[in-house]
Amino acid sequence: MSAPAAAPMFRRVALIGLGLIAGSMALAMRESGLAGRIVGYARSDETRATAREIGLVDEVTDSAAEAVAGADLVVLAVPVGAMGEIAAEIAPHLAPGAILTDVGSVKQSVIEAVAPHVPKGVHFIPGHPLAGTEHSGPRSGFPSLFRNRWWLLTPLPDSDPAAVARLTELVRALGANVETMEPAHHDLVLAVTSHAPHLIAYTMVGVADHLRRVTDDEVIKYSAAGFRDFTRIAASDPTMWRDVFLHNREATLDILGRFAEELFVLQRAIRMGDGQHLHDYFTRTRAIRRGIIEAGQDTAAPDFGRAGKE
Amino acid sequence: MSAPAAAPMFRRVALIGLGLIAGSMALAMRESGLAGRIVGYARSDETRATAREIGLVDEVTDSAAEAVAGADLVVLAVPVGAMGEIAAEIAPHLAPGAILTDVGSVKQSVIEAVAPHVPKGVHFIPGHPLAGTEHSGPRSGFPSLFRNRWWLLTPLPDSDPAAVARLTELVRALGANVETMEPAHHDLVLAVTSHAPHLIAYTMVGVADHLRRVTDDEVIKYSAAGFRDFTRIAASDPTMWRDVFLHNREATLDILGRFAEELFVLQRAIRMGDGQHLHDYFTRTRAIRRGIIEAGQDTAAPDFGRAGKE
């Protein structure tokens, strides 16, 4: 990270929602002196109390309106399904010239929900950091969360290029790499790389949960054979993910439909004893893993580096 | 690991197959002085040459028969589909009183393939270490692979208890925890914890591979959002896994059938907008992850400890 700047990039930053993403932004901005003052708000009393207790931001307000008043950057970091309501609530209090962004995992539905409320003179630039862990809540953030991760921006046709450049600069200062894309394309790409895999992991863990009742605690005991990787993904925040699936419905169902087709073809190959088909398929998928490691998106260390350390 | 023993537990150990498991056994046995001499054989010329080059074992033989001659422990560490043939090949050369075990991921079909060849006086005790990484081959082993992992033994009704006790002692000395179970039960448990998750991961990665042709390299670029965990599993050895599915066919197809049912129920909930169903489901699966961490089977560190280290 760079040394604290002489002058902060934003005078007052308002974080609406104080979970993993907002908390990590607060810690990273503070570490790098990017914000003059960081103010936060969360709907839950408990979250606000925790944020105050650990000093996550400079000030925790009891309303979203108070938080955004006078802010030159406002970040909506709430579940996708809550974006519209909170946008309506803060809209009258947004300062002219402010940048308004969000960190939602779905872009088209957030734009539909938020854009109609944004006053003229406020720059709404939707965004999505591809960063996170299976943990959630105000205690789960850490300043390096965004380092070397992608942060996708989906500017609107009338977005002010200067405002987009300013937000891009901030995101880069948090350690992330920035790309811009069309909102619909974002939602398709994420359906493949994130939303469908999450639903599949949830499903497999649910199947095992039913069977666990038959085989006692064996599923947990012997999970290291592959299953435990699914359980990490399936431990992600239920509210956030409920909203993702409901709000990226079409793209997710499209990918899940393709997945079910492929699964049936492989099941049939197993049933018919078609070893050649299975071997060819598994050889192709192995190559993708190599691509990911070569692209610097994961470690080549065996078992994510877990092996031999336990 | 304990200090080298005064006398090794086995005078001569023969490893048939020199991949990740056999290589790790060799390194762990050497580290702890558990074997007087470790001899290895692999069918592939290239594997034998590599094993010689890196000194993986004390001696690499050019036939399985040479390797097992005079051995008091013989370990079959080849793909499940190759077990029967290699057992037939070595049977006439096995020493009376020797322990013969295997490390195959499926137990019923290995027993069916191997047991008929085992001469009287040789103790066949099937086994399965729940340990591995996505890497394979003679260079992939490391001595701590089995540490704190489960090693399941599925003794036969007529297995000699003294021989089972001796193999158990060895496996514990490699760092593993031992349980015994019925072969059929083993195959069901592993279908849930390992075989079905692997096929599902292979399937999802295959779907993305088709889509990658549409979206260029975006699937790889943005894989950190969840997908990359699947690619690690789907990078596992194609031959080994082809054999696992073909040889644990019934149990795997049973679990995949249940999986497809659950998936359809969740897809329907997404289509119908049933957020309550999704939220309840995701809350249950989160609890399973907690169970795994409490059972010491995975790290509680966010993102397997990858987060913030990259």
Side-chain angles (χ1 to χ4, degrees):
Chain A
M1 294 301 223
S2 53
M9 287 182 59
F10 290 92
R11 210 176 54 250
R12 177 185 167 103
V13 175
L15 302 172
I16 308 300
L18 291 168
L20 171 67
I21 298 292
S24 297
M25 288 183 73
L27 296 169
M29 286 191 290
R30 178 179 293 166
E31 193 175 271
S32 305
L34 296 165
R37 185 170 178 77
I38 305 172
V39 182
Y41 167 76
R43 198 179 49 176
S44 137
D45 295 343
E46 193 188 335
T47 301
R48 292 201 304 279
T50 303
R52 283 191 183 108
E53 183 195 326
I54 64 176
L56 187 62
V57 292
D58 299 318
E59 181 190 349
V60 176
T61 63
D62 285 322
S63 77
E66 281 174 79
V68 306
D72 46 355
L73 175 66
V74 175
V75 181
L76 303 181
V78 299
V80 167
M83 294 279 186
E85 197 182 325
I86 200 81
E89 192 179 327
I90 62 170
H93 309 278
L94 290 168
I99 291 177
L100 172 66
T101 189
D102 77 294
V103 298
S105 307
V106 182
K107 296 276 57 86
Q108 289 178 105
S109 80
V110 168
I111 291 168
E112 278 165 33
V114 172
H117 301 291
V118 180
K120 269 201 195 327
V122 169
H123 306 291
F124 175 42
I125 306 165
H128 177 204
L130 306 194
T133 75
E134 68 276 26
H135 297 190
S136 53
R139 294 184 192 276
S140 62
F142 51 98
S144 62
L145 177 65
F146 309 109
R147 211 174 286 166
N148 197 29
R149 300 270 68 95
W150 290 101
W151 196 309
L152 304 178
L153 298 179
T154 62
L156 305 179
D158 60 351
S159 286
D160 174 18
V164 174
R166 207 167 158 221
L167 183 59
T168 299
E169 196 187 340
L170 173 74
V171 164
R172 291 217 172 102
L174 297 175
N177 306 312
V178 183
E179 286 281 357
T180 60
M181 61 171 67
E182 291 290 319
H185 188 65
H186 167 279
D187 290 356
L188 175 64
V189 169
L190 269 288
V192 180
T193 58
S194 179
H195 307 169
H198 272 78
L199 194 82
I200 288 161
Y202 278 123
T203 306
M204 184 62 225
V205 175
V207 169
D209 187 36
H210 295 322
L211 279 147
R212 192 164 58 125
R213 283 167 205 140
V214 184
T215 59
D216 198 17
D217 61 346
E218 289 171 318
V219 167
I220 284 177
K221 195 165 166 185
Y222 305 124
S223 63
F227 179 69
R228 68 173 173 179
D229 288 9
F230 284 61
T231 66
R232 187 188 74 80
I233 295 179
S236 303
D237 186 58
T239 305
M240 171 188 158
W241 282 97
R242 175 200 64 197
D243 282 7
V244 166
F245 297 125
L246 295 180
H247 290 269
N248 197 18
R249 185 185 330 222
E250 296 310 319
T252 304
L253 288 176
D254 175 38
I255 302 303
L256 291 175
R258 291 165 190 255
F259 172 84
E261 280 171 26
E262 289 288 325
L263 182 63
F264 288 158
V265 172
L266 289 172
Q267 278 180 260
R268 183 173 173 280
I270 294 173
R271 200 179 296 282
M272 308 291 279
D274 187 349
Q276 192 61 49
H277 181 90
L278 296 173
H279 192 274
D280 291 350
Y281 201 97
F282 302 163
T283 303
R284 282 201 304 278
T285 57
R286 197 173 215 190
I288 294 186
R289 176 72 184 169
R290 275 198 293 273
I292 286 174
I293 290 164
E294 283 160 16
Q297 289 298 303
D298 205 354
T299 171
D303 207 11
F304 304 129
R306 278 188 302 217
K309 284 194 200 150
E310 298 167 272
Chain B
M1 294 300 220
S2 52
M9 287 182 59
F10 290 92
R11 210 177 54 249
R12 179 184 167 104
V13 174
L15 302 172
I16 308 301
L18 291 169
L20 170 67
I21 299 292
S24 297
M25 287 182 74
L27 296 168
M29 286 191 290
R30 179 178 293 165
E31 193 174 272
S32 305
L34 296 165
R37 186 169 176 78
I38 305 173
V39 182
Y41 167 77
R43 197 178 52 175
S44 137
D45 295 343
E46 194 187 334
T47 301
R48 291 200 306 278
T50 303
R52 282 190 183 110
E53 183 195 325
I54 64 177
L56 187 62
V57 291
D58 298 319
E59 181 191 350
V60 177
T61 63
D62 284 322
S63 77
E66 282 174 78
V68 306
D72 46 354
L73 175 66
V74 175
V75 181
L76 302 181
V78 298
V80 166
M83 293 280 184
E85 198 181 324
I86 200 82
E89 192 178 327
I90 61 170
H93 308 279
L94 291 168
I99 291 177
L100 172 66
T101 189
D102 77 293
V103 298
S105 306
V106 182
K107 296 276 57 83
Q108 289 178 107
S109 80
V110 168
I111 292 168
E112 278 166 34
V114 171
H117 301 291
V118 180
K120 267 199 197 327
V122 169
H123 305 291
F124 176 41
I125 306 164
H128 178 204
L130 305 194
T133 75
E134 68 275 29
H135 297 189
S136 52
R139 292 185 193 276
S140 62
F142 51 96
S144 62
L145 176 64
F146 308 109
R147 209 175 287 166
N148 197 28
R149 299 271 68 93
W150 290 101
W151 197 307
L152 304 178
L153 298 179
T154 61
L156 306 180
D158 60 351
S159 286
D160 174 19
V164 174
R166 208 166 156 220
L167 183 59
T168 299
E169 196 188 338
L170 173 74
V171 165
R172 291 217 173 104
L174 296 175
N177 306 312
V178 183
E179 285 280 359
T180 60
M181 61 171 68
E182 291 290 318
H185 188 64
H186 167 279
D187 291 356
L188 175 63
V189 170
L190 269 289
V192 179
T193 58
S194 178
H195 306 169
H198 271 78
L199 195 84
I200 288 161
Y202 277 122
T203 305
M204 184 62 225
V205 175
V207 169
D209 187 36
H210 295 321
L211 279 148
R212 192 166 57 125
R213 283 166 205 140
V214 183
T215 60
D216 198 18
D217 63 345
E218 289 172 316
V219 167
I220 284 176
K221 194 165 167 184
Y222 304 125
S223 64
F227 179 69
R228 67 173 174 179
D229 288 8
F230 284 60
T231 67
R232 186 188 74 79
I233 294 179
S236 303
D237 186 58
T239 305
M240 172 190 157
W241 281 96
R242 175 200 64 197
D243 282 7
V244 166
F245 297 125
L246 295 181
H247 290 269
N248 197 17
R249 186 187 326 222
E250 297 311 319
T252 304
L253 289 176
D254 174 38
I255 303 303
L256 292 174
R258 290 164 190 254
F259 172 84
E261 279 171 25
E262 289 287 325
L263 181 63
F264 289 158
V265 173
L266 289 172
Q267 278 179 260
R268 183 172 174 280
I270 294 173
R271 199 179 297 281
M272 308 293 279
D274 187 350
Q276 193 61 48
H277 181 89
L278 296 173
H279 193 274
D280 291 349
Y281 201 96
F282 303 162
T283 303
R284 282 200 304 278
T285 57
R286 196 171 215 191
I288 295 187
R289 176 73 184 169
R290 274 198 295 272
I292 286 174
I293 290 164
E294 283 160 16
Q297 289 296 304
D298 205 356
T299 170
D303 208 11
F304 302 129
R306 277 188 304 218
K309 285 195 199 151
E310 299 167 272

